[in-house]
Amino acid sequence: MIICANKMEYPLRSQCQRVQKQVMVNTEKERASLLYMHALVSVDAVSHHMASHPQYLESFLRSQHYILHMDGPLPLPCRHYIAIMAAAQHHCSYLVSLHSTHFLRVGGDPVWLQGLEAAPPRLRLLDHINKVLAHQPWLTACSHIQTLLKTGEQCWSLAELVQAVVLLAHCHSLCSFVFGSGADGVCDLAPLPKSPNGTPPAYSPFDAANGNANVPDITRRRSLDSSCEMFLKERIHKSQEEREKRLLHTHTLQQTELEEEEETDVYLAEPSRFISDPDFRYQEFARREEDHFQVFRVQDYSWEDHGFSLVNRLYSDIGHLLDDRFRSVASLPSSHSPDLKRAIWNYIHCVLGIRYDDYDYGEVNQRLERDTKLYIKAVACFPDDTKAPVCPLPWASLKPSERIHVNLLIMEARLQAELLYALRAITQYMIA
C-alpha cells in the first residue's frame, strides 16, 4: 500500500500521483462498463445498440429520463400517450408497445389504448402538429401553435406545449434510429415484470448514467467480458419464468378480466389505431414546380442562438440536456472525418428544408456517394418504409459501432431539425 505524506521523497509522490491517475482511469472504465452492463440488463434493444458508444448513451438516457419521468407540466400517462402517438406516425410497433406498457404502469386509462378517438380531446388536438413534424416539418406554422394555445377549455399552456413538442421530436427521431439500426427486430423477449406500485423496474440504464453503483453483488463480482452474456441470459430466463407465472395466474381470474387483459395486449402493438391520416407522408421539400415553401435559413434561426434559450426558458434544463446530446454525437471518436460527419448532418437538414449559408453543398456530393445519400434520406425522412435497411455498399466494411454512429448522427440531426421548426413557430406566436 502506498501512503502519500509531505515528508515522502519525490519518486514516491510521483508514484502516488500515477496511482491516483490510474484510479481515475479505472473508475471511468468501470463506469462505462457498468453503463454497458445496465443496457444489457434492461433488455432494451435501443440501449443495447447505443451501448457501443457509452459516452453518447449517457447523455441520451439523461434526456430521455428527464422528458418521460422527471418534473414537468405534463402528467406521466399523457407523456407516454404522446410518445405512442409520435411512434405510431412511423408505424414503429416496438416503441408503441413499449410506451403502451409504461402508460399502463403509471396509471393510464386502458380505454385510451383503443385508439386516438378514445383519447381526451386535448390530446387529440396534438394530432395535426404530430403528423406535420413527423413527415413535413417545414409546414409547421404559427397558426398551429395558436390553435393549441387558444382552444377554450381544451387549450394547452405554453409550458405543456413545449414539453409535448420536445417529446414528439424525440420519439420521431428515435423511430429513425430503431429502424435504421434494426433495433425493432432485436428485442422480442418477454417484457420486464411490472412493479407493484406502478414505478419502472428496479434496474435502469439511467442509474448507470448517473454513476449509481448500487447494483446487485453479481455485477460487482464478475468482470464485464466474462459475465455480460451470462448475466443477460439469466435476466432473460428470469423474465420468462416470471411471465409464465403471470400467465398461470391469469388463468385463475374471472373470464371477463381475462378478456379485458387480452384486449389490452392487442392494443399494444397496433400503431394504426393512433393515426388519423395515413395518407399524409413525407414529400420532397424541393420541387421546381412548387416554390412556395421558404427555405429555413439557420442564420435567421439557429439552435445555438435561438432554440436553446427558448426551450430552456419554457422547459427548465431540457435545453442543456439536448445540447449535450448534439455535442456528444458530434464528438464521438470515429473513423469518419469531421467533414464527412458535417456532410451527413447538413444533408439531413437540407432534405428537411434547412440550409446553412456558410456551407458549400458541393461537399455533400463529394463526401457521400449516391447509395449512401439514399440510405440517409430514407432513415431520416421515411424510416418505416426502410424496415431493416442494409448499410450502403460503399460502407459495407464498417464496424457495427461505426454503423451505429451513422444512425446516431441521423437521429440527432433530425431531432434538431424538428425542434427548430417547432420552436421557430412558437417564437413567432410569442412575438405576434
Side-chain angles (χ1 to χ4, degrees):
M1 179 177 177
I2 299 174
I3 303 176
C4 293
N6 294 333
K7 295 182 180 181
M8 289 291 177
E9 296 295 328
Y10 175 77
L12 193 54
R13 291 202 306 269
S14 179
Q15 187 177 5
C16 181
Q17 291 172 354
R18 286 198 301 271
V19 170
Q20 291 174 341
K21 184 176 181 181
Q22 185 64 38
V23 169
M24 294 176 63
V25 172
N26 290 339
T27 301
E28 288 300 318
K29 288 183 178 180
E30 182 180 353
R31 190 159 176 253
S33 297
L34 186 60
L35 187 66
Y36 185 77
M37 176 68 78
H38 274 255
L40 291 177
V41 173
S42 71
V43 200
D44 180 343
V46 171
S47 297
H48 177 79
H49 279 69
M50 292 182 183
S52 59
H53 299 285
Q55 59 271 52
Y56 169 82
L57 177 58
E58 178 178 346
S59 63
F60 172 83
L61 292 175
R62 286 184 186 278
S63 64
Q64 179 171 260
H65 184 85
Y66 186 84
I67 295 169
L68 291 172
H69 303 293
M70 300 298 286
D71 291 341
L74 293 175
L76 296 184
C78 288
R79 300 184 199 186
H80 288 291
Y81 198 83
I82 292 171
I84 293 170
M85 293 172 60
Q89 284 297 322
H90 288 304
H91 303 274
C92 186
S93 298
Y94 172 77
L95 290 180
V96 169
S97 297
L98 181 67
H99 286 286
S100 295
T101 300
H102 284 295
F103 172 78
L104 295 175
R105 285 179 182 174
V106 297
D109 188 346
V111 174
W112 295 11
L113 296 181
Q114 294 178 7
L116 193 59
E117 296 80 5
R122 199 159 172 270
L123 284 173
R124 296 202 302 269
L125 285 174
L126 285 177
D127 180 57
H128 186 75
I129 195 170
N130 177 28
K131 70 179 183 181
V132 167
L133 284 175
H135 304 295
Q136 301 177 41
W138 54 87
L139 294 180
T140 308
C142 176
S143 58
H144 300 146
I145 306 302
Q146 186 175 12
T147 299
L148 289 165
L149 296 179
K150 295 184 177 180
T151 318
E153 295 180 357
Q154 307 301 331
C155 70
W156 288 68
S157 71
L158 194 55
E160 290 173 331
L161 180 57
V162 170
Q163 185 178 20
V165 162
V166 170
L167 186 49
L168 289 173
H170 167 77
C171 290
H172 292 157
S173 60
L174 188 55
C175 287
S176 288
F177 181 82
V178 168
F179 284 111
S181 64
D184 58 317
V186 171
C187 187
D188 53 359
L189 306 170
L192 294 177
K194 297 180 182 179
S195 301
N197 58 356
T199 58
Y203 307 123
S204 167
F206 185 71
D207 296 331
N210 276 334
N212 181 8
N214 295 323
V215 297
D217 290 341
I218 187 171
T219 62
R220 291 197 292 268
R221 291 197 304 265
R222 299 172 179 173
S223 66
L224 177 67
D225 294 336
S226 63
S227 67
C228 272
E229 184 176 357
M230 182 183 301
F231 197 30
L232 178 58
K233 288 181 179 179
E234 290 175 358
R235 182 62 182 175
I236 294 171
H237 180 67
K238 183 178 180 181
S239 296
Q240 290 173 336
E241 287 182 343
E242 291 174 347
R243 187 187 187 191
E244 291 175 359
K245 291 179 181 179
R246 292 199 306 274
L247 290 175
L248 182 61
H249 177 67
T250 59
H251 289 300
T252 65
L253 300 177
Q254 295 180 359
Q255 184 63 30
T256 55
E257 293 177 336
L258 181 60
E259 290 176 351
E260 290 176 359
E261 182 171 304
E262 291 175 345
E263 187 178 16
T264 300
D265 288 340
V266 172
Y267 296 144
L268 297 184
E270 284 294 332
S272 59
R273 296 176 180 271
F274 307 96
I275 301 175
S276 64
D277 188 1
D279 296 328
F280 190 87
R281 310 296 293 165
Y282 172 80
Q283 294 183 0
E284 296 287 344
F285 173 80
R287 290 186 176 181
R288 294 185 179 181
E289 69 275 12
E290 297 179 6
D291 59 355
H292 55 278
F293 294 128
Q294 186 175 359
V295 172
F296 188 121
R297 299 197 176 277
V298 174
Q299 281 67 24
D300 298 330
Y301 197 96
S302 68
W303 167 257
E304 293 80 7
D305 297 332
H306 306 89
F308 170 82
S309 58
L310 177 66
V311 74
N312 219 43
R313 177 159 56 92
L314 297 175
Y315 185 12
S316 179
D317 293 330
I318 192 60
H320 293 292
L321 293 170
L322 293 173
D323 196 60
D324 185 57
R325 280 175 60 173
F326 300 146
R327 294 178 184 275
S328 178
V329 76
S331 62
L332 285 179
S334 171
S335 61
H336 303 316
S337 67
D339 291 338
L340 178 58
K341 290 194 286 187
R342 188 181 182 192
I344 294 174
W345 187 280
N346 287 359
Y347 175 64
I348 295 167
H349 279 197
C350 180
V351 297
L352 294 175
I354 298 175
R355 287 271 184 162
Y356 295 78
D357 290 343
D358 59 351
Y359 182 71
D360 179 9
Y361 284 88
E363 285 196 18
V364 171
N365 292 330
Q366 294 174 8
R367 305 285 178 182
L368 305 176
E369 297 187 19
R370 182 176 182 274
D371 289 342
T372 304
K373 290 196 296 183
L374 289 176
Y375 172 86
I376 292 172
K377 183 176 181 180
V379 175
C381 302
F382 36 92
D384 46 312
D385 293 334
T386 65
K387 299 305 178 185
V390 179
C391 191
L393 291 178
W395 291 354
S397 61
L398 284 182
K399 297 178 180 178
S401 62
E402 293 289 350
R403 298 185 187 186
I404 292 297
H405 188 189
V406 171
N407 282 288
L408 290 177
L409 282 169
I410 295 173
M411 177 176 69
E412 293 299 332
R414 179 182 177 181
L415 171 62
Q416 189 179 100
E418 287 194 29
L419 288 175
L420 284 175
Y421 277 113
L423 294 174
R424 184 182 67 168
I426 292 174
T427 300
Q428 292 171 343
Y429 168 81
M430 295 174 65
I431 64 178

Coordinates of all heavy atoms in Angstrom, one line a residue, residues 38 41-44 65 69 80 98 101-102 105-106 190-207 212 235 239 242:
H38 N -25.8 -2.3 -17.7 CA -27.1 -2.0 -17.4 C -27.9 -1.9 -18.7 O -29.1 -2.3 -18.7 CB -27.2 -0.6 -16.7 CG -27.1 -0.7 -15.2 ND1 -28.1 -0.5 -14.4 CD2 -26.0 -0.9 -14.5 CE1 -27.7 -0.6 -13.1 NE2 -26.4 -0.9 -13.2
V41 N -28.8 -5.5 -19.1 CA -29.8 -6.0 -18.1 C -31.2 -5.5 -18.4 O -32.2 -6.2 -18.2 CB -29.3 -5.6 -16.7 CG1 -30.4 -5.9 -15.7 CG2 -28.0 -6.3 -16.4
S42 N -31.3 -4.3 -19.0 CA -32.6 -3.7 -19.2 C -33.3 -4.4 -20.3 O -34.5 -4.2 -20.5 CB -32.4 -2.2 -19.6 OG -31.9 -2.1 -20.9
V43 N -32.7 -5.3 -21.1 CA -33.3 -5.9 -22.2 C -33.9 -4.9 -23.1 O -35.0 -5.1 -23.6 CB -34.3 -7.0 -21.8 CG1 -34.5 -8.0 -22.9 CG2 -33.8 -7.8 -20.6
D44 N -33.3 -3.8 -23.3 CA -33.8 -2.7 -24.1 C -33.0 -2.7 -25.4 O -31.8 -2.4 -25.4 CB -33.6 -1.4 -23.3 CG -34.1 -0.2 -24.1 OD1 -34.3 -0.3 -25.3 OD2 -34.3 0.9 -23.4
H65 N -34.9 10.2 -19.8 CA -35.4 10.0 -18.5 C -36.0 11.3 -18.0 O -37.1 11.3 -17.4 CB -34.3 9.6 -17.5 CG -34.8 9.3 -16.1 ND1 -35.3 8.1 -15.8 CD2 -34.9 10.0 -15.0 CE1 -35.7 8.1 -14.5 NE2 -35.4 9.3 -14.0
H69 N -39.9 11.1 -17.2 CA -40.1 10.7 -15.8 C -39.9 11.9 -14.8 O -40.5 11.8 -13.7 CB -39.2 9.6 -15.4 CG -39.3 8.4 -16.2 ND1 -40.5 7.6 -16.2 CD2 -38.5 7.8 -17.1 CE1 -40.3 6.6 -17.0 NE2 -39.1 6.7 -17.6
H80 N -46.5 9.4 -22.0 CA -46.3 8.1 -22.7 C -47.4 8.0 -23.8 O -47.1 7.4 -24.9 CB -46.5 7.0 -21.7 CG -45.3 6.8 -20.8 ND1 -44.1 6.4 -21.3 CD2 -45.1 7.0 -19.5 CE1 -43.2 6.3 -20.3 NE2 -43.8 6.7 -19.2
L98 N -43.8 -0.5 -26.3 CA -43.0 -0.1 -25.1 C -43.7 1.0 -24.3 O -43.9 0.9 -23.1 CB -41.6 0.4 -25.5 CG -40.7 0.8 -24.4 CD1 -40.3 -0.4 -23.6 CD2 -39.4 1.5 -25.0
T101 N -47.0 -0.1 -22.6 CA -46.8 -0.8 -21.4 C -46.5 0.2 -20.2 O -47.1 0.1 -19.1 CB -45.6 -1.7 -21.5 OG1 -45.9 -2.7 -22.6 CG2 -45.3 -2.5 -20.2
H102 N -45.7 1.2 -20.5 CA -45.4 2.2 -19.5 C -46.6 3.1 -19.2 O -46.8 3.5 -18.0 CB -44.2 3.1 -20.0 CG -42.9 2.4 -19.9 ND1 -42.3 2.1 -18.7 CD2 -42.0 2.1 -20.8 CE1 -41.1 1.5 -18.9 NE2 -40.9 1.5 -20.2
R105 N -48.5 1.2 -16.7 CA -47.8 1.1 -15.4 C -47.9 2.4 -14.6 O -48.0 2.3 -13.4 CB -46.3 0.9 -15.7 CG -45.9 -0.5 -16.1 CD -44.4 -0.7 -16.4 NE -44.1 -2.0 -16.8 CZ -42.8 -2.3 -17.2 NH1 -41.9 -1.4 -17.2 NH2 -42.6 -3.5 -17.6
V106 N -48.0 3.5 -15.2 CA -48.1 4.8 -14.5 C -49.5 5.2 -14.3 O -49.8 6.3 -13.9 CB -47.3 5.9 -15.2 CG1 -45.8 5.5 -15.2 CG2 -47.8 6.2 -16.6
A190 N -39.6 -11.4 -23.5 CA -40.7 -11.1 -22.5 C -40.4 -9.8 -21.9 O -39.3 -9.4 -21.5 CB -40.7 -12.2 -21.4
P191 N -41.5 -9.0 -21.7 CA -41.3 -7.7 -21.0 C -40.9 -7.8 -19.6 O -41.2 -8.9 -19.0 CB -42.7 -7.0 -21.2 CG -43.6 -8.2 -21.3 CD -42.9 -9.2 -22.0
L192 N -40.3 -6.8 -19.0 CA -39.9 -6.8 -17.6 C -41.1 -6.8 -16.8 O -42.2 -6.3 -17.1 CB -39.0 -5.6 -17.3 CG -37.7 -5.6 -18.0 CD1 -37.0 -4.3 -17.6 CD2 -36.8 -6.8 -17.6
P193 N -41.1 -7.5 -15.6 CA -42.3 -7.5 -14.7 C -42.7 -6.2 -14.2 O -41.9 -5.3 -14.0 CB -41.8 -8.4 -13.5 CG -40.3 -8.3 -13.6 CD -39.9 -8.1 -15.0
K194 N -44.0 -6.0 -14.1 CA -44.5 -4.7 -13.6 C -44.2 -4.6 -12.1 O -44.3 -5.5 -11.4 CB -46.0 -4.6 -13.8 CG -46.4 -4.7 -15.3 CD -47.9 -4.6 -15.5 CE -48.3 -4.7 -16.9 NZ -49.8 -4.6 -17.1
S195 N -43.9 -3.4 -11.7 CA -43.7 -3.1 -10.3 C -45.0 -3.0 -9.6 O -46.0 -2.4 -10.2 CB -42.8 -1.9 -10.1 OG -41.6 -2.0 -10.7
P196 N -45.2 -3.4 -8.4 CA -46.5 -3.3 -7.7 C -47.0 -1.9 -7.6 O -48.2 -1.7 -7.5 CB -46.2 -3.9 -6.3 CG -44.7 -3.8 -6.2 CD -44.1 -3.9 -7.5
N197 N -46.1 -0.9 -7.5 CA -46.6 0.5 -7.3 C -46.6 1.3 -8.6 O -46.8 2.5 -8.5 CB -45.7 1.2 -6.2 CG -44.2 1.2 -6.7 OD1 -43.9 0.6 -7.7 ND2 -43.4 1.9 -5.9
G198 N -46.4 0.6 -9.7 CA -46.5 1.3 -11.0 C -45.2 2.0 -11.4 O -45.2 2.8 -12.3
T199 N -44.2 1.9 -10.6 CA -42.9 2.5 -11.0 C -42.1 1.7 -12.0 O -42.4 0.5 -12.1 CB -42.0 2.7 -9.7 OG1 -41.8 1.5 -9.1 CG2 -42.8 3.6 -8.7
P200 N -41.1 2.2 -12.6 CA -40.3 1.5 -13.6 C -39.6 0.4 -12.9 O -39.5 0.4 -11.6 CB -39.4 2.5 -14.2 CG -40.0 3.8 -14.0 CD -40.8 3.7 -12.7
P201 N -39.1 -0.6 -13.6 CA -38.3 -1.7 -13.0 C -37.1 -1.2 -12.1 O -36.7 -0.1 -12.3 CB -37.8 -2.5 -14.2 CG -38.8 -2.2 -15.3 CD -39.2 -0.8 -15.0
A202 N -36.6 -2.0 -11.2 CA -35.6 -1.6 -10.3 C -34.3 -1.2 -11.0 O -33.7 -0.3 -10.5 CB -35.3 -2.7 -9.3
Y203 N -34.0 -1.8 -12.1 CA -32.7 -1.6 -12.7 C -33.0 -0.8 -14.0 O -33.7 -1.2 -14.8 CB -32.0 -2.9 -13.0 CG -31.8 -3.7 -11.8 CD1 -32.3 -5.0 -11.8 CD2 -31.2 -3.2 -10.6 CE1 -32.1 -5.8 -10.6 CE2 -31.1 -4.0 -9.5 CZ -31.5 -5.3 -9.5 OH -31.4 -6.1 -8.4
S204 N -32.3 0.3 -14.1 CA -32.5 1.1 -15.3 C -31.2 1.6 -15.8 O -30.3 1.9 -15.0 CB -33.4 2.3 -15.0 OG -33.3 3.3 -16.0
P205 N -31.0 1.7 -17.2 CA -29.7 2.3 -17.7 C -29.5 3.7 -17.2 O -28.3 4.1 -17.1 CB -30.0 2.3 -19.2 CG -31.0 1.3 -19.4 CD -31.9 1.3 -18.2
F206 N -30.5 4.4 -16.8 CA -30.3 5.7 -16.3 C -29.6 5.7 -14.9 O -28.9 6.7 -14.6 CB -31.7 6.4 -16.1 CG -31.5 7.9 -15.7 CD1 -31.1 8.8 -16.6 CD2 -31.8 8.3 -14.4 CE1 -30.9 10.1 -16.3 CE2 -31.7 9.6 -14.1 CZ -31.3 10.6 -15.0
D207 N -29.7 4.7 -14.1 CA -28.9 4.6 -12.9 C -27.4 4.6 -13.2 O -26.7 5.3 -12.5 CB -29.3 3.3 -12.2 CG -30.7 3.3 -11.7 OD1 -31.3 4.4 -11.5 OD2 -31.3 2.2 -11.6
N212 N -24.6 5.6 -10.5 CA -25.1 4.8 -9.4 C -24.5 3.4 -9.4 O -24.7 2.7 -10.3 CB -26.6 4.7 -9.4 CG -27.2 4.0 -8.3 OD1 -26.5 3.7 -7.3 ND2 -28.5 3.7 -8.3
R235 N -31.0 -12.9 -16.9 CA -32.1 -11.9 -16.8 C -33.3 -12.3 -17.7 O -34.5 -12.3 -17.3 CB -31.6 -10.5 -17.2 CG -32.7 -9.4 -17.1 CD -33.1 -9.2 -15.7 NE -34.2 -8.2 -15.6 CZ -34.8 -7.9 -14.5 NH1 -34.6 -8.6 -13.4 NH2 -35.8 -7.0 -14.5
S239 N -37.0 -13.4 -16.6 CA -38.2 -12.7 -17.1 C -39.2 -13.7 -17.7 O -40.4 -13.5 -17.5 CB -37.7 -11.7 -18.2 OG -36.9 -10.7 -17.7
E242 N -41.0 -15.4 -14.8 CA -42.0 -14.6 -14.2 C -43.2 -14.4 -15.1 O -44.3 -14.3 -14.7 CB -41.3 -13.2 -13.9 CG -40.3 -13.3 -12.8 CD -39.6 -12.0 -12.5 OE1 -39.7 -11.1 -13.4 OE2 -38.9 -11.9 -11.5

